[in-house]
Amino acid sequence: MNDENGNLVLDVLHKATSQDTETLRSAEKQLKVWESEPGFYTVLMSVFSNKGVEVKIRWQAILYLKNGVDRYWRRLSPGAIKDEEKAKIKQMLLENFHEPINQLAIQLAVVIGKIARLDCPKQWPELLPALMDAIRTVNDELRQQRILLSLYQVVKCLSSRRLAHDRKVFEELTNGIFQFMLDLWTGQMNQFDEYLTGNNLQRAHLMLEYAHLTLKVLRKLVVYGFKNPGDCDSVNLFIQLCICGIENLLAKGNIFSDSADASELCKKVLILYSKILLDMLAYHSEMYILYINSSLELVYKLCFSGSFVATNFERFNVNLLNLMKSILCNESYRPQSLQRSETDEVALTAHQAIKSAMTTQVLSKVFQALVTNYLPLSITDLELWESDPEDYVNEEGGSSYKYNIKPCVECLFAALFKEFAPIITPILIGMVRENGELCDPADISSVLKKDARMFVYC
């Protein structure tokens, strides 16, 4: 198959979007026949690259190309795509960073990422240099956004390779681009602040989009690209900026209250900040000792001191509460569970940091807030319990604590009680005693609070 067959492929792709069952079946059957035919995927790439073709047809072309990469890109696959065709497809992919339609651009980036996972760096050595050079030199905003999107997919796919050799390759890649990406992100956030100060909300929104994409790249690099991230000053600076960035963005996010898209973007960035902290704690707990104090203070301030309303942003709040729970439950932070003296010293440092942050006053406020504000069942909980009790119970099992506020709070409560029982027990007894008085059955709020107090006692 060659470019002269383009019109034929275009016609079949058009039929593949038909609502008529017979026409659709016939088109899918023909496309299936062409899947292993030499030149077919080059033609698909040509169809996709033609901005004059209908969007739904271009969508079909990129989806069939993506599926073809999964099935036929590996050299040992039956009917594998030839090297000459691969080279042409790669070249055409790098020429499409001006794609105006976002959903098509996302699919294009996914295809680039899938190929990079199989070929980069040996069979596609020019990919990353081309992307990095384009980020440095391209002034067109649309193209830069598309390039960042593609870079994220490439880094995401490369970071998912777990063999020792592949991990070493990714560490080398990280060493080469981390500082540049960090500088790019800090510059984007500085511009975001400048646009906000000048009340240019449209430009601020655009710059935050770029910063969000760059931050997604940095997350993969910092979590999977360093063997000992604590030895890198840039990594330590990045973690500090993430912790500070949460409060800064929360303070400025209200400016976008009139724009649903901008507000949603702010939430995405905040969730991404919290994911970075959770990932660093999970994968690099030893270096995270430096940030135990600041992390616990952040969670306390935002979730328990009254400066942040939990119900306004549940997903972010769940991540913060899980961050506190993960610090308290981290086995490497328990001196008594370790054998080697050097590890004991590290664990003792972490243990002392936790103790200094979780004072009696802080624990008292955290415990009371959990029982008063978080544990009481909501009206939604009651409705779900009444309509589907089995589903309600299942939602609280497994790993639901990572995503749902109720099981998350229960896990945090258990962790606090396990670590600080001597301090928390008197508080709990006092709350139960206060709970002895009868409440008005018609006052649902009082009944639910009483139920929460009895729940923790049981």
Side-chain angles (χ1 to χ4, degrees):
M1 184 176 288
N2 51 45
D3 291 340
E4 294 176 2
N5 301 107
N7 289 334
L8 180 59
V9 174
L10 188 64
D11 181 59
V12 176
L13 286 171
H14 183 268
K15 290 178 180 177
T17 65
S18 173
Q19 300 298 314
D20 180 69
T21 306
E22 288 302 318
T23 304
L24 178 60
R25 253 185 223 158
S26 174
E28 288 178 342
K29 186 177 179 181
Q30 181 59 62
L31 289 167
K32 184 72 177 174
V33 171
W34 285 337
E35 274 185 1
S36 56
E37 202 168 302
F40 174 59
Y41 295 102
T42 306
V43 175
L44 287 179
M45 195 64 222
S46 297
V47 171
F48 174 81
S49 302
N50 186 351
K51 304 300 186 292
V53 175
E54 288 182 71
V55 172
K56 61 181 181 180
I57 298 176
R58 297 179 64 218
W59 177 262
Q60 287 288 337
I62 196 67
L63 289 184
Y64 271 95
L65 175 60
K66 183 174 71 171
N67 293 336
V69 169
D70 287 335
R71 294 173 186 168
Y72 303 109
W73 198 269
R74 291 177 177 83
R75 290 184 175 181
L76 299 180
S77 300
I81 301 171
K82 303 298 182 184
D83 289 345
E84 297 78 9
E85 185 174 3
K86 288 181 180 179
K88 192 168 183 180
I89 291 170
K90 290 173 183 176
Q91 181 183 351
M92 296 173 77
L93 286 168
L94 296 179
E95 293 171 354
N96 271 278
F97 289 136
H98 54 287
E99 173 55 53
I101 298 170
N102 191 55
Q103 292 305 314
L104 291 178
I106 291 172
Q107 292 302 320
L108 179 74
V110 169
V111 171
I112 293 174
K114 284 178 177 289
I115 295 175
R117 192 178 193 281
L118 298 171
D119 282 8
C120 196
K122 287 186 178 179
Q123 280 81 44
W124 202 0
E126 66 274 14
L127 172 61
L128 284 165
L131 292 175
M132 300 307 295
D133 288 344
I135 291 173
R136 291 187 181 98
T137 59
V138 169
N139 294 320
D140 181 82
E141 292 176 347
L142 176 66
R143 289 195 66 196
Q144 189 168 70
Q145 193 271 348
R146 301 315 193 213
I147 294 165
L148 283 172
L149 183 62
S150 297
L151 178 63
Y152 166 65
Q153 288 295 335
V154 170
V155 170
K156 177 184 175 182
C157 289
L158 293 180
S159 69
S160 68
R161 302 193 302 194
R162 308 298 344 136
L163 295 178
H165 170 72
D166 293 329
R167 294 178 69 174
K168 186 176 180 181
V169 168
F170 190 70
E171 287 170 10
E172 292 173 356
L173 162 67
T174 300
N175 288 332
I177 71 172
F178 182 79
Q179 186 61 55
F180 171 77
M181 296 305 297
L182 178 59
D183 293 340
L184 178 65
W185 175 67
T186 52
Q188 290 166 339
M189 291 305 295
N190 288 336
Q191 285 187 280
F192 168 72
D193 290 337
E194 289 174 10
Y195 287 132
L196 279 186
T197 303
N199 202 34
N200 191 340
L201 300 186
Q202 184 176 359
R203 295 292 301 174
H205 182 193
L206 181 65
M207 196 52 59
L208 190 60
E209 279 188 357
Y210 294 166
H212 180 236
L213 274 175
T214 308
L215 189 60
K216 290 170 76 173
V217 174
L218 285 167
R219 178 193 175 195
K220 296 297 180 183
L221 295 177
V222 78
V223 173
Y224 302 107
F226 290 97
K227 191 173 289 185
N228 299 301
D231 297 336
C232 178
D233 292 338
S234 296
V235 172
N236 286 301
L237 173 62
F238 176 62
I239 301 302
Q240 293 170 16
L241 290 174
C242 287
I243 293 173
C244 296
I246 289 176
E247 287 193 78
N248 291 339
L249 191 56
L250 280 172
K252 296 167 183 173
N254 290 334
I255 296 175
F256 292 117
S257 57
D258 294 335
S259 171
D261 289 343
S263 296
E264 191 62 30
L265 178 60
C266 286
K267 290 182 177 182
K268 287 180 180 179
V269 175
L270 287 168
I271 289 173
L272 187 53
Y273 277 138
S274 63
K275 284 181 177 178
I276 291 169
L277 300 182
L278 283 167
D279 286 347
M280 291 304 290
L281 176 61
Y283 289 92
H284 305 288
S285 57
E286 185 173 326
M287 72 87 63
Y288 202 83
I289 291 173
L290 296 171
Y291 309 103
I292 287 177
N293 258 311
S294 54
S295 296
L296 292 175
E297 288 172 4
L298 177 72
V299 177
Y300 173 72
K301 181 177 181 180
L302 297 183
C303 298
F304 301 108
S305 69
S307 61
F308 185 72
V309 182
T311 53
N312 284 349
F313 194 179
E314 182 174 304
R315 178 70 187 280
F316 175 63
N317 206 62
V318 166
N319 284 354
L320 290 182
L321 296 176
N322 277 324
L323 180 62
M324 176 178 278
K325 186 217 46 142
S326 298
I327 291 173
L328 298 178
C329 295
N330 197 303
E331 289 299 323
S332 62
Y333 295 163
R334 299 177 187 274
Q336 68 276 12
S337 67
L338 302 167
Q339 302 297 323
R340 296 180 300 171
S341 58
E342 64 269 19
T343 315
D344 276 338
E345 186 178 342
V346 169
L348 185 60
T349 303
H351 192 67
Q352 290 171 344
I354 293 171
K355 294 291 186 183
S356 66
M358 303 300 285
T359 62
T360 302
Q361 182 182 6
V362 168
L363 282 169
S364 178
K365 287 187 177 179
V366 168
F367 187 79
Q368 290 181 16
L370 286 175
V371 176
T372 306
N373 301 331
Y374 289 93
L375 280 174
L377 296 170
S378 65
I379 300 301
T380 304
D381 292 328
L382 294 175
E383 291 174 351
L384 181 58
W385 192 0
E386 185 175 352
S387 63
D388 193 346
E390 185 177 353
D391 189 46
Y392 179 81
V393 173
N394 288 338
E395 277 195 0
E396 296 192 350
S399 60
S400 59
Y401 70 92
K402 295 179 181 179
Y403 314 104
N404 298 326
I405 190 71
K406 194 68 65 181
C408 166
V409 170
E410 291 172 4
C411 287
L412 176 57
F413 176 83
L416 286 167
F417 204 85
K418 181 179 178 181
E419 296 296 321
F420 304 102
I423 299 174
I424 290 178
T425 300
I427 303 172
L428 175 59
I429 292 173
M431 295 181 74
V432 171
R433 284 174 179 167
E434 292 174 8
N435 204 40
E437 298 179 5
L438 295 175
C439 62
D440 182 2
D443 186 352
I444 296 297
S445 177
S446 298
V447 171
L448 293 178
K449 286 182 179 180
K450 188 179 183 73
D451 171 74
R453 288 173 180 170
M454 295 308 296
F455 170 81
V456 299
Y457 182 70
C458 297

